[in-house]
Amino acid sequence: MAPLDWLIVAGYLVFAMAVGLVFRKRAGKNITEYFLSGRNLPWWIVGTSIVATMFAADTPLMVTGLIANDGIAGNWFIWNFAAAHILATFFFARLWRRAGVLTDLELVDIRYSGRPARVLRGFRSIWEGVVLNCIILGWVILAMVKILDVLVNLDAVTARLGIDGFIDGRWFGILVCLFVAVIYTVLSGFWGVVMTDLVQFLLAMAGAIALAVIALSDIGGVAELKLQLAEQYGDLADGYLSFFPDTSSSSLPLVTFVALIGVNWWATRDAGGTAYMVQRMLAAKDERHSFLGVLWFCFLHYVVRPWPWIIVGLIALVVFPGIEDKELGYPLMIVEYLPTGLLGLMLASIVAAFMSTIDTLLNWGVSLLVNDGYKAYINKSASDEHYVRVSRLLVVVLMIVGGGAAYMMQSIRGAWELFFGMTVGIGGVYIMRFWWWRVNAWSEIAAWVSTAVVYVGLYIYNPEIVFGWHLIATALVSTVCWVLVALVTPPTDQKKLIDFYERVRPGTPWWKPIATRSNVEVDKTGWSDITGWFAGLIFIYAAMFGVGKVILAETSVGLIYLTVATVAGIVVYRGSVLE
C-alpha cells in the first residue's frame, strides 16, 4: 500500500462520514425517517441498495472458495435463491408495500391475534435482530479480517501507535472500519445506508471488474486460462468450467444440489421477502416502485455481479493452486495483480462493500429491537425523538455483539451453513401467511421450534451429515409440523383477518372464506402472476448463463442463452412492468 492507495481509502471513509452528517437531522425526525427514509425511495435506489447490501466483503471470498471446491457450479449455493427472489418480486413486493408496516416483524401484529402473536413478535425481535443478525455480522467481519491479513500490514501501524501490546493489527483495521460505519449509521439511519449504498456498489463493482480484466489479460486471456487449467488439473478442468456440478462431488453431491434447487429456495426465510429486502420494499414510493426495485436487484445480483469474481476465482486456481485456505485466493490475487492506485481503489471498494452490509444489518437489526421489542412491549408511548435516541444507542451495542461473534468464527462457509440450517424450515410458512387465511401465530412458532429441534437433533446424531440431507429433512419435518398446527389450533380472530385482507389484498383462492365477508374488491392472483414468475426466472438464469458463456469465449452458446433471456424479458415487461 503506497501513500496514494491510503489516500484513496481515506477519501472514501471521509465521504461516508460526510453522508452521516448531511442526513443526520433528516433521519432524526422520527423512526419512519430513521428506518425507512420516509417511504419515498425510487425503484433504482431500492434495487441497488439491496444488491449493495448483499455485495459484502465475504462474498468474493466465498465464491473463490466455492470455485476451488466445485468450479463455477459451486455458485449454486447462491444461484438457487434466484427462484426465491423472483417469487418475492412477483408475488410479495406489492403486498409488503400495501401492508405499510415499519418492519417485517410488525406484520405479525396485523396478521395474527392473541397471546401467541405477542410471544412470536417478541421472540423474533431478539432471535432475528440479535442472534441470526450477529451470525451474519460475524461472517462479514471475519471475511474483512482475512482480507486485511493479506492486503495490509496493520501490525506495523499498531506498533507505530504503541498499541500493539493491546490489539492485533488486523482487528485494529476492522475497528476503524466499524467505527466509521457505526458513526454514519448512528447519525443518518436508513438515509445514510441507502445513499452510501449507491456509491458503494459502483465502487465495489469497479474494483472487481478491474481485477478480473487485469488478471485475465496478464494470464493471456480465456483460451490460455482454459489451457493452464487443463495442464494443472487434467480431467478436472472441464468440471471447473461447467455450470452444473459433478454429482459425485464430496462438497456438492447430488443430494445437496437437489436440496438447493428443489427445497432451499422456498424453505428459507428469503422466499416471502424478509429482512433487509423487505425494509427496502417498505421504503419504496409505492407498490410499483417496490416491484421494480426488487426486479432490478435480481438483475444486478445474478446477471451483473457474479462474473468478475468467478473469473478471478478460476485464475486463482492456476496462480495459487496449493493454498490451504481457498477463500484467501481472492485477496492474494489482489496483491498479485493490482498496481499502486488500483490497489487503493480495490481496498476502498472492499471497505465499501463491507460497510454497505454492516450498516444495513445494524439499521435493520435495531429496527426490530426498537419497533418490535422496546416500543411494542416496554415503552409504547414515548416521543419519536426518544425512539431515535434508543435506536442510535442500540446500533453501538449490536455492533459490539457482532464483533464478538466474528472473533469466535473460523470459516465463512461454515457460518453460511449454520445460518441456513437454523432457518431452512421457515420459508413455507412465510409464504403461506400471505396466501392462506388458516395460517396463524402458532404456525410460525411451530416452524421455528421444529426447525431448531431437527437441526440440533441431526447435529447430535451425526455432525458430519451431508448438508443436502440436512436441508431436506429439516424443511420437510418443519413444513409438516406447521401445517398440522395450523389445522388443529384456533384460527386468527376473524376481524383481524378481514382487516388484513382488506389492507394487503392477497388475491389467492385460499382466502375465500374471508373474502366472502369483505366488501373490498381484490384482484385475484392468476396465470399472469404465475407466468410472470416463470418468465422472470427464465430471464434471470438465461441472462446469467448467457453472459457467462460469452465471457468464457463460448459465444454461440452464450447468444442462444441471451436470445432466450430477451424473449423472457419481453414477457415480463409486457405482463408486469407495463402494469
Side-chain angles (χ1 to χ4, degrees):
M1 292 283 288
L4 175 61
D5 298 315
W6 285 114
L7 186 63
I8 293 171
V9 176
Y12 175 75
L13 295 177
V14 170
F15 159 77
M17 294 283 281
V19 169
L21 293 172
V22 168
F23 288 96
R24 175 179 60 86
K25 185 174 292 187
R26 189 169 184 176
K29 290 180 180 179
N30 52 63
I31 57 175
T32 301
E33 290 285 347
Y34 195 79
F35 292 128
L36 293 180
S37 298
R39 301 187 195 273
N40 199 36
L41 298 182
W43 63 269
W44 54 275
I45 290 182
V46 169
T48 306
S49 181
I50 299 173
V51 76
T53 293
M54 298 182 74
F55 193 151
D58 64 296
T59 326
L61 273 68
M62 178 66 176
V63 169
T64 304
L66 291 173
I67 288 174
N69 287 323
D70 298 292
I72 294 175
N75 284 277
W76 280 103
F77 277 100
I78 301 170
W79 290 349
N80 77 91
F81 284 107
H85 293 148
I86 292 294
L87 189 75
T89 304
F90 285 89
F91 289 98
F92 301 113
R94 294 183 178 93
L95 301 187
W96 275 110
R97 186 60 182 85
R98 290 174 197 164
V101 292
L102 188 71
T103 66
D104 57 317
L105 288 196
E106 194 175 329
L107 189 78
V108 171
D109 193 51
I110 69 170
R111 175 62 177 81
Y112 306 132
S113 60
R115 186 174 180 84
R118 290 182 56 79
V119 171
L120 175 64
R121 188 179 180 189
F123 160 74
R124 285 183 56 193
S125 69
I126 301 299
W127 182 250
E128 295 188 61
V130 179
V131 179
L132 297 184
N133 200 22
C134 284
I135 293 176
I136 305 174
L137 282 168
W139 80 54
V140 172
I141 295 171
L142 176 62
M144 197 65 188
V145 169
K146 287 188 173 187
I147 290 172
L148 290 180
D149 240 0
V150 175
L151 294 187
V152 184
N153 181 15
L154 288 173
D155 287 331
V157 176
T158 55
R160 191 174 302 166
L161 294 174
I163 59 174
D164 52 317
F166 303 97
I167 186 170
D168 178 79
R170 60 182 183 171
W171 282 100
F172 173 75
I174 290 296
L175 289 177
V176 171
C177 295
L178 293 180
F179 174 77
V180 175
V182 166
I183 289 297
Y184 77 74
T185 305
V186 165
L187 291 176
S188 59
F190 199 58
W191 278 110
V193 172
V194 296
M195 291 299 108
T196 53
D197 275 352
L198 297 176
V199 177
Q200 286 162 344
F201 176 70
L202 293 175
L203 190 59
M205 281 304 302
I209 292 171
L211 177 60
V213 170
I214 291 172
L216 191 60
S217 175
D218 184 82
I219 207 171
V222 171
E224 183 63 25
L225 170 61
K226 291 180 177 179
L227 181 62
Q228 292 195 34
L229 282 171
E231 289 176 353
Q232 291 197 34
Y233 297 98
D235 294 338
L236 296 176
D238 289 339
Y240 280 123
L241 295 170
S242 173
F243 289 8
F244 294 92
D246 176 358
T247 54
S248 63
S249 164
S250 60
S251 57
L252 186 54
L254 177 61
V255 64
T256 298
F257 181 63
V258 170
L260 291 175
I261 64 173
V263 176
N264 192 59
W265 65 268
W266 63 263
T268 57
R269 63 181 194 158
D270 282 81
T274 54
Y276 38 80
M277 182 181 292
V278 169
Q279 191 178 27
R280 272 81 176 166
M281 294 177 189
L282 296 171
K285 284 183 176 182
D286 53 36
E287 296 172 27
R288 177 177 169 80
H289 282 271
S290 178
F291 166 79
L292 292 175
V294 184
L295 185 62
W296 176 237
F297 149 73
C298 290
F299 176 76
L300 292 178
H301 183 65
Y302 292 102
V303 179
V304 176
R305 192 189 76 161
W307 290 107
W309 297 338
I310 290 173
I311 293 300
V312 172
L314 290 171
I315 297 173
L317 287 172
V318 172
V319 179
F320 302 106
I323 56 172
E324 183 176 350
D325 186 346
K326 302 299 184 182
E327 294 174 350
L328 289 180
Y330 195 83
L332 287 171
M333 289 289 292
I334 295 172
V335 174
E336 180 73 16
Y337 286 106
L338 293 186
T340 298
L342 282 179
L343 181 59
L345 175 67
M346 175 57 82
L347 183 54
S349 75
I350 291 173
V351 168
F354 170 71
M355 290 166 59
S356 72
T357 302
I358 292 295
D359 59 20
T360 289
L361 293 173
L362 292 176
N363 185 268
W364 168 73
V366 168
S367 75
L368 304 189
L369 293 175
V370 173
N371 188 64
D372 304 291
Y374 181 74
K375 184 180 178 183
Y377 298 98
I378 299 174
N379 191 344
K380 299 181 180 181
S381 56
S383 65
D384 282 324
E385 291 77 9
H386 173 78
Y387 292 129
V388 171
R389 287 196 299 270
V390 172
S391 300
R392 285 171 167 164
L393 174 63
L394 287 178
V395 167
V396 179
V397 174
L398 190 59
M399 186 66 265
I400 293 172
V401 178
Y407 193 77
M408 294 184 289
M409 286 183 182
Q410 298 300 318
S411 79
I412 300 168
R413 177 168 176 166
W416 276 37
E417 292 186 354
L418 170 65
F419 180 83
F420 291 132
M422 294 171 66
T423 61
V424 73
I426 310 303
V429 73
Y430 277 13
I431 292 172
M432 295 307 295
R433 64 187 173 180
F434 282 104
W435 285 355
W436 186 28
W437 73 277
R438 200 63 178 77
V439 172
N440 58 19
W442 286 114
S443 307
E444 284 200 34
I445 293 171
W448 279 106
V449 171
S450 58
T451 295
V453 169
V454 174
Y455 176 81
V456 173
L458 287 175
Y459 185 81
I460 294 174
Y461 174 72
N462 180 9
E464 303 300 322
I465 190 171
V466 175
F467 184 56
W469 282 121
H470 195 152
L471 293 178
I472 293 171
T474 306
L476 292 181
V477 171
S478 176
T479 300
V480 170
C481 286
W482 75 254
V483 170
L484 289 175
V485 167
L487 293 173
V488 302
T489 54
T492 299
D493 176 74
Q494 190 173 103
K495 184 180 184 306
K496 178 79 73 171
L497 290 172
I498 293 173
D499 289 344
F500 179 82
Y501 180 80
E502 293 179 347
R503 179 174 178 172
V504 178
R505 305 194 302 279
T508 67
W510 299 300
W511 278 89
K512 187 175 180 180
I514 305 303
T516 57
R517 293 173 172 82
S518 170
N519 296 320
V520 174
E521 186 174 342
V522 175
D523 293 334
K524 303 300 182 184
T525 298
W527 284 110
S528 61
D529 302 279
I530 298 171
T531 301
W533 178 60
F534 274 113
L537 199 55
I538 292 170
F539 169 71
I540 291 298
Y541 278 126
M544 179 174 66
F545 292 161
V547 170
K549 289 296 185 181
V550 170
I551 290 174
L552 292 172
E554 299 176 36
T555 307
S556 58
V557 177
L559 290 176
I560 293 173
Y561 274 121
L562 292 175
T563 301
V564 173
T566 301
V567 173
I570 292 172
V571 174
V572 170
Y573 181 77
R574 288 182 174 178
S576 300
V577 176
L578 287 177
E579 288 183 359

